[in-house]
Amino acid sequence: MPHRPHVPPPPAPPFDARAARRLRAALGMAPEHVAYGMRASFGMPYVSPDLVISWEHGDVAPTSSELLALAGVLWCAPGDLVGAPRTLREHRVARGLAPEDVAHAVGLGLSAYLRMEEAGEWSGTDRQSAVLAEVLELSLPDFVALTGREARLAELLRGAVTTRWQGYVRQVAKVVPLHRRVIEEALAELHASYQGELVPRPVAGGFRGVAATASGDAGREFLARVVEVFWETVGRGFAERGD
């Protein structure tokens, strides 16, 4: 018999207890009805109304298989019952996909794919990464984060806003698959915003030292959030252009 890799039970995804409670109420169901549906339709004899209530109160979170069953009973997608996915595994669970499905789609063996999930580090090729983004319906920020490029992006953005942003366009383009014009506009706006944070603002009493300290704090906060601000700027640019 061919060797089958050991598939460890995945940890609970970021369960949205409020969403589960809201969806159940919208269907006019009681916890007893949800528990019965999971027992009868999904072969989970241990699910009780008390367990359903514990999920909805946030005391415990359902496992991946329990979440899929709960979504089936509540007539919703698994992604409707989770918070914003952060890891490769959480994105997969949110889409209701088995690890075998994702591994096959991207052209990886199951063992190799599971090792990436467990380590939380995606190391596929560019082609595999593109397929992963399609299969998991990843947004561009999620794609950059899951493929391990966010730290590099943050480093480049900090350099761009503190020096000459024009010298960073090509490097950012290698990390983020965006049109060069989009990157140029975003970097120019980020640079202007950051430099504006460094200008001391008038404060009560007119103490220049206090104003300089305040501007320095604002600059450090900007650098700490530079990736988030970059995505906000890109999104705003798309909205303004109607892309």
Side-chain angles (χ1 to χ4, degrees):
M1 295 179 61
H3 174 68
R4 292 181 60 84
H6 173 64
V7 181
F15 183 63
D16 189 336
R18 291 183 179 180
R21 186 165 60 249
R22 183 178 66 251
L23 288 166
R24 174 181 61 76
L27 292 172
M29 301 173 69
E32 292 81 2
H33 300 140
V34 176
Y36 175 79
M38 295 182 70
R39 292 196 303 268
S41 301
F42 294 92
M44 296 182 171
Y46 59 87
V47 176
S48 66
D50 286 342
L51 180 56
V52 174
I53 292 172
S54 294
W55 290 338
E56 292 185 355
H57 286 175
D59 298 329
V60 294
T63 64
S64 297
S65 57
E66 289 168 346
L67 185 140
L68 293 175
L70 181 61
V73 171
L74 296 179
W75 291 85
C76 66
D80 294 333
L81 294 174
V82 299
R86 301 176 300 272
T87 66
L88 179 58
R89 176 177 282 131
E90 290 173 359
H91 278 280
R92 174 179 60 76
V93 170
R95 297 298 172 213
L97 298 172
E100 294 87 347
D101 298 331
V102 179
H104 176 74
V106 301
L108 284 171
L110 180 57
S111 295
Y113 173 76
L114 287 173
R115 283 195 295 271
M116 293 183 192
E117 274 203 358
E118 291 160 12
E121 297 179 359
W122 171 256
S123 55
T125 64
D126 287 345
R127 185 193 66 80
Q128 290 171 328
S129 297
V131 175
L132 181 77
E134 181 178 353
V135 170
L136 298 183
E137 301 176 31
L138 298 176
S139 67
L140 188 52
D142 286 336
F143 173 75
V144 170
L146 282 186
T147 52
R149 306 177 187 185
E150 192 170 72
R152 175 59 175 163
L153 177 60
E155 176 187 356
L156 293 173
L157 293 178
R158 291 188 187 109
V161 301
T162 56
T163 58
R164 293 184 68 258
W165 64 264
Q166 294 88 343
Y168 287 85
V169 174
R170 180 176 297 182
Q171 296 178 72
V172 172
K174 292 180 179 179
V175 176
V176 180
L178 285 171
H179 192 278
R180 182 184 179 95
R181 175 174 58 87
V182 174
I183 295 175
E184 289 174 344
E185 292 176 355
L187 293 187
E189 184 173 338
L190 256 66
H191 184 273
S193 297
Y194 175 73
Q195 296 300 321
E197 296 287 359
L198 300 182
V199 177
R201 298 175 177 82
V203 296
F207 293 107
R208 295 184 60 186
V210 174
T213 299
S215 64
D217 290 343
R220 283 188 289 274
E221 181 181 352
F222 187 97
L223 292 178
R225 298 181 55 248
V226 69
V227 173
E228 179 183 347
V229 177
F230 173 75
W231 292 125
E232 291 172 355
T233 304
V234 169
R236 188 165 57 249
F238 281 139
E240 291 172 355
R241 289 189 299 270
D243 294 348

